[in-house]
Amino acid sequence: MNQTKNLSTSSRCATFTWAVALALIICAVSAGKVSAAAADSLDQLYEKAKKEGKITLYAPLSPNAMSVIPPAFMKRFPGVTVDHIDATSDKLIARVLAEQKGGRVIADVISGALSYLPQILDLKIVEQVAIPEAAAYPPQLKGDLWVATDTQYYIAGWNTNLVKKGEEPKAYEELANPKWKDGIMGEPRDFQMLVGFAKRKFNSDEKAIDLFRKIAVNQVEFHRGHSQLTEFLMAGQRAVCFTCYSHHFPVRMKKGAPIQPLMAEGVGEVGGSVMVMKGAPHPNAALLYVRWAVSEEGQKAYAQAGETPAHPKVEPLEKIRPTTPYMLTIDDVREFPRYEKTWKEIFQIR
């Protein structure tokens, strides 16, 4: 009886060991293919990708981005279909882990916003590949395993019916003026503002905290959701928003909304990125998508989709990049909990 049980246990262990070994072999072969393909031109890589025929993309995309970016890729590379799985970054990560627990790798490419990049990298689920197109990107918008595709910016803005011309705030320091008491609103979770000002504008936690404490004295009103925040600004609920998204302004202003953005400065972060999964079922197609997405050509598709391209040479359709952006980096993310705690203390947010 014990001998039978021992044999059964040994058999299960051997099967598990073989499964792990096989998975490692598959990942190694996939990694070899990806590394070799990185030296190809996009057209050479396309010939290899056509044989694989598809790519499975795990990415949180806006409805407009979904209707523009994958179709642009498929038009550029006929015969390579994009199977897009849409969900928030946390749900996509959970899905990948569940699939890997079941011994499968389904995704070829995964995308994540800045706050999720450290988690993805720590899980060691993505491949280190050479992306020639990434050479044009500044260090804060790329790493050994990822490249940013788009960015987003936190800025201030005002209601033009409530703020007279000539009295608009020119910089964040002006929001500490008592004249804005009971006139400012924001999003309660936007502690990234504090990080950006501390790390990039002032190079001092003390100076950044001091500024936001002075702004807090003006009794800031908070509302969850950036779209709702902008709608409240349009409606005149308060005169100024100090943590709005810059990309929310142009489309509304074109429709006659009485709002104006402060474009002199703002805090920026990676809104989306692309990475090749380890053991990607379609490694050549995966690399083709990643390289195209961060190329000038692919970045123009992101612009057409209404996104703010990460590529420094590709302009968004509208003026939504602040003149002086305080860009957050992946290293900043690990300090987010500390700054979030301080932000909540400053504004007495529970």
Side-chain angles (χ1 to χ4, degrees), residues 52-59 61 65-66 68-86 108-109 282 285-286 288-290 292 302:
E52 296 171 350
K54 68 173 288 189
I55 167 185
T56 301
L57 171 67
Y58 281 17
L61 297 177
M66 280 190 277
V68 173
I69 297 169
F73 174 82
M74 290 186 283
K75 182 178 180 181
R76 171 68 171 83
F77 302 107
V80 184
T81 302
V82 177
D83 182 11
H84 173 229
I85 306 300
D86 183 53
D108 294 298
V109 174
H282 312 97
L288 179 65
Y289 184 90
V290 168
W292 172 83
Y302 274 81

Side-chain angles (χ1 to χ4, degrees), residues 4 15 71 74 84 87 91 111 126 148 179 211 221 229-230 238 250 256 270 278 324:
T4 302
T15 301
M74 290 186 283
H84 173 229
K91 290 181 179 178
S111 172
V126 293
K179 77 175 185 178
L211 171 60
E221 180 179 274
L229 190 61
T230 308
R238 287 214 165 182
V270 172
K278 275 186 179 178
T324 304

